[in-house]
Amino acid sequence: MGAMDKAKRAAMAAAVNTALSYLSKDPEQNIPKLMDLVDRFSPDGWYEGQRSAIRNAIREKGNWWQLIERVYELDPGVRDVFFRNFIVNASLNGSAIQEDIAKRENCNVPWAVLLDPTSACNLHCTGCWAAEYGNKLNLTLEDIDSIIRQGKELGIYMYIYTGGEPLVRKADLMKLCEMHPDCEFLSFTNATLIDEDFCREMLRVKNFIPAISLEGFEEANDSRRGPGVYEKVTHAMALLKEHNLPFGISACYTSVNYNDISSEKFFDHMIDLGALFVWFFHYMPVGNDAVPALMPTPEQRETVYRRIRGFRETKAIFSLDFQNDAEYIGGCIAGGRHYLHINANGDVDPCVFIHYSNCNIHDCTLMEALKSPLFQAYHDNQPFNDNMLRPCPMLENPERLQELVKATGAHSTDLQSPESAEHLCEKCVQYAANWKPSADRLWEETLEKKHK
Ligand code: SF4
């Protein structure tokens, strides 16, 4: 590290400590000071839109302000660690390292790694690929530790667990939080294994945030996940809230539940439950047993798109719409562009929905995986469409994934019932054709607004 780097890092460390003191109390006084500090240390243009949105929120005291106040109610230790790990390590320092390495190596280097600690699950939800995978596969503690060590060398400080039910391995997950206190861990979970003891563990390690699956109100949730699950989930949320722990919700919209889960009533319900963020996913027809009829129609997808954007202006919850938000990040984020997925068998997939690969983390390094044929093909072909409402090489451009898989010789990593790319993409052809006119119209609207 050169003298300049050392000086810069010392200045950054001092700034982080000042920022943390601003975070400790009195948001009205301190958030503007914090924003000045962020401006001073941010590269030109870095999240300019978001930064000005935060400033406006403070001025207008609207929904974003209410969200900031809710963040101030969190356990101070957990909030500080989140700020250090997520903002400073993963986003400021980490992104700079990722960019340098990506340029040097001519490949994608992601911001986050998604991984399945286990394929086991304690529930058996209809349509869930985890249930279909059987229940025998695990990444060992050593496997995950090695992935994180390699990731940190590449500037990756964000790790997201999916599965299976990750909390089946909750003791190991807490150990990993302790082993890597500079990383932030987020876990998709059905929440049924969150209890008083686990909340205490989360308070102890400070760097673990659950994203709890909810399919809608009680009846819709339990018809997919099983009777009594909704009650357990809301009990877990109440426990987390009681301990001032942060959590979010993940919700998959389908042709059946889209109306409920994008409704104002559901947004208010999530806020009442104490969620700080919600991550919406579009139903994907992945797997030989998938049900294409669950894919939303163009009208249904447009309803979700418009409602989520509308509620961003009025509700005190941070919402992400995985399939409709590509405009904010320049298209498909898979193949290591912003993230990749490692399943419980160690196969390195480009995306949690795209189960094809040329490599397994037991036989290669993370960097070798990023340079493997399918990952390189993602790197060379992204974005897959200039219309950011048609970002996916499977869902909206099904011919693209078939080409990539064929050209790279990638194999199916579905362990239960391998599915060919042709079979998968065939299910999306009609969907893609139906969605195109709406997507083109909505994208036109977006471009017009931007140019005003
Ligand atoms: S492959 Fe498709 S689902 Fe996965 S990140 Fe890219 S656009 Fe999204």
Side-chain angles (χ1 to χ4, degrees):
M1 191 193 296
M4 192 56 189
D5 281 346
K6 272 190 193 161
K8 261 195 202 161
R9 274 168 200 262
M12 173 71 97
V16 169
N17 287 330
T18 313
L20 289 177
S21 72
Y22 290 155
L23 273 179
S24 64
K25 56 183 184 311
D26 198 356
E28 199 155 357
Q29 286 278 325
N30 284 332
I31 293 282
K33 289 189 198 163
L34 184 63
M35 292 307 298
D36 288 344
L37 199 68
V38 171
D39 284 348
R40 201 141 36 93
F41 280 89
S42 302
D44 283 348
W46 188 80
Y47 290 105
E48 222 160 61
Q50 283 86 339
R51 273 153 52 202
S52 85
I54 294 174
R55 281 180 197 288
N56 289 342
I58 296 164
R59 240 193 335 268
E60 291 160 13
K61 296 272 185 300
N63 59 315
W64 289 97
W65 178 252
Q66 290 158 23
L67 183 59
I68 290 171
E69 285 188 315
R70 292 178 60 212
V71 170
Y72 267 80
E73 286 161 17
L74 294 175
D75 175 83
V78 172
R79 194 181 51 223
D80 285 4
V81 167
F82 174 79
F83 182 81
R84 260 183 217 280
N85 291 356
F86 184 84
I87 310 276
V88 180
N89 296 348
S91 304
L92 276 171
N93 290 342
S95 298
I97 300 170
Q98 292 150 28
E99 261 176 45
D100 282 352
I101 298 177
K103 240 184 246 154
R104 190 184 73 213
E105 300 290 333
N106 190 32
C107 66
N108 284 331
V109 176
W111 172 77
V113 170
L114 257 79
L115 48 94
D116 303 352
T118 180
S119 60
C121 184
N122 59 331
L123 298 179
H124 301 282
C125 307
T126 331
C128 173
W129 69 79
E132 293 158 16
Y133 266 15
N135 56 9
K136 317 177 243 357
L137 290 156
N138 287 299
L139 289 173
T140 64
L141 179 78
E142 293 71 28
D143 290 335
I144 303 176
D145 178 45
S146 161
I147 292 166
I148 298 172
R149 280 173 195 281
Q150 293 180 54
K152 288 203 284 192
E153 293 285 313
L154 304 176
I156 307 164
Y157 287 85
M158 187 74 208
Y159 295 87
I160 303 178
Y161 297 125
T162 172
E165 168 50 46
L167 294 193
V168 168
R169 301 270 309 281
K170 59 184 172 181
D172 281 344
L173 300 193
M174 291 298 98
K175 257 186 229 154
L176 287 157
C177 286
E178 281 181 281
M179 291 159 83
H180 298 284
D182 48 356
C183 294
E184 195 65 23
F185 295 90
L186 185 135
S187 181
F188 290 104
T189 173
N190 61 39
T192 56
L193 299 171
I194 294 177
D195 54 17
E196 188 76 48
D197 283 350
F198 189 67
C199 288
R200 276 197 287 271
E201 279 294 276
M202 282 177 62
L203 282 171
R204 186 175 65 79
V205 297
K206 299 182 173 52
N207 53 349
F208 185 90
I209 301 181
I212 298 172
S213 309
L214 209 57
E215 301 299 324
F217 299 104
E218 185 161 4
E219 201 190 321
N221 194 73
D222 283 3
S223 72
R224 175 151 183 248
R225 296 184 172 260
V229 170
Y230 180 85
E231 208 185 306
K232 284 190 193 155
V233 169
T234 47
H235 174 67
M237 291 183 185
L239 277 179
L240 291 163
K241 201 174 167 186
E242 216 176 285
H243 288 83
N244 300 320
L245 282 161
F247 69 91
I249 284 174
S250 83
C252 173
Y253 54 89
T254 69
S255 56
V256 176
N257 72 356
Y258 81 97
N259 197 27
D260 267 2
I261 67 170
S262 62
S263 66
E264 179 157 25
K265 197 170 155 201
F266 192 67
F267 267 79
D268 289 339
H269 183 53
M270 292 189 287
I271 295 167
D272 285 347
L273 289 167
L276 291 172
F277 64 90
V278 51
W279 208 338
F280 288 102
F281 293 91
H282 179 293
Y283 175 79
M284 297 292 200
V286 178
N288 282 321
D289 296 334
V291 185
L294 286 175
M295 287 195 280
T297 64
E299 294 72 28
Q300 292 168 346
R301 179 165 170 182
E302 183 170 342
T303 300
V304 173
Y305 165 88
R306 290 198 186 278
R307 285 186 183 170
I308 293 174
R309 275 167 165 67
F311 291 138
R312 279 184 188 147
E313 312 285 321
T314 57
K315 302 292 175 192
I317 188 164
F318 184 79
S319 57
L320 289 146
D321 183 353
F322 193 69
Q323 210 57 31
N324 290 327
D325 279 348
E327 64 171 294
Y328 305 116
I329 31 158
C332 169
I333 59 173
R337 190 172 154 256
H338 288 296
Y339 97 103
L340 56 79
H341 171 240
I342 303 176
N343 72 15
N345 190 46
D347 299 307
V348 189
D349 296 329
C351 169
V352 72
F353 298 114
I354 306 285
H355 302 163
Y356 299 95
S357 180
N358 308 94
C359 52
N360 188 293
I361 204 67
H362 298 303
D363 311 317
C364 71
T365 63
L366 202 49
M367 181 43 90
E368 284 165 350
L370 290 165
K371 290 189 165 186
S372 66
L374 186 56
F375 275 74
Q376 207 62 56
Y378 262 74
H379 172 264
D380 296 344
N381 286 281
Q382 284 163 322
F384 294 107
N385 198 308
D386 290 335
N387 181 336
M388 294 288 132
L389 288 164
R390 299 172 60 210
C392 187
M394 171 186 68
L395 188 69
E396 294 104 355
N397 307 278
E399 68 292 346
R400 301 300 306 273
L401 185 68
Q402 295 177 68
E403 287 161 15
L404 298 186
V405 169
K406 197 169 171 204
T408 59
H411 63 273
S412 167
T413 57
D414 186 316
L415 303 158
Q416 186 79 0
S417 172
E419 180 179 35
S420 69
E422 289 73 24
H423 185 265
L424 170 65
C425 292
E426 178 56 36
K427 288 176 277 186
C428 301
V429 170
Q430 195 55 51
Y431 173 95
N434 293 348
W435 173 239
K436 184 178 180 301
S438 305
D440 288 349
R441 173 174 45 77
L442 291 171
W443 187 235
E444 256 326 290
E445 262 180 38
T446 307
L447 293 178
E448 272 168 29
K449 266 189 223 152
K450 276 189 186 159
H451 292 137
K452 262 185 194 163

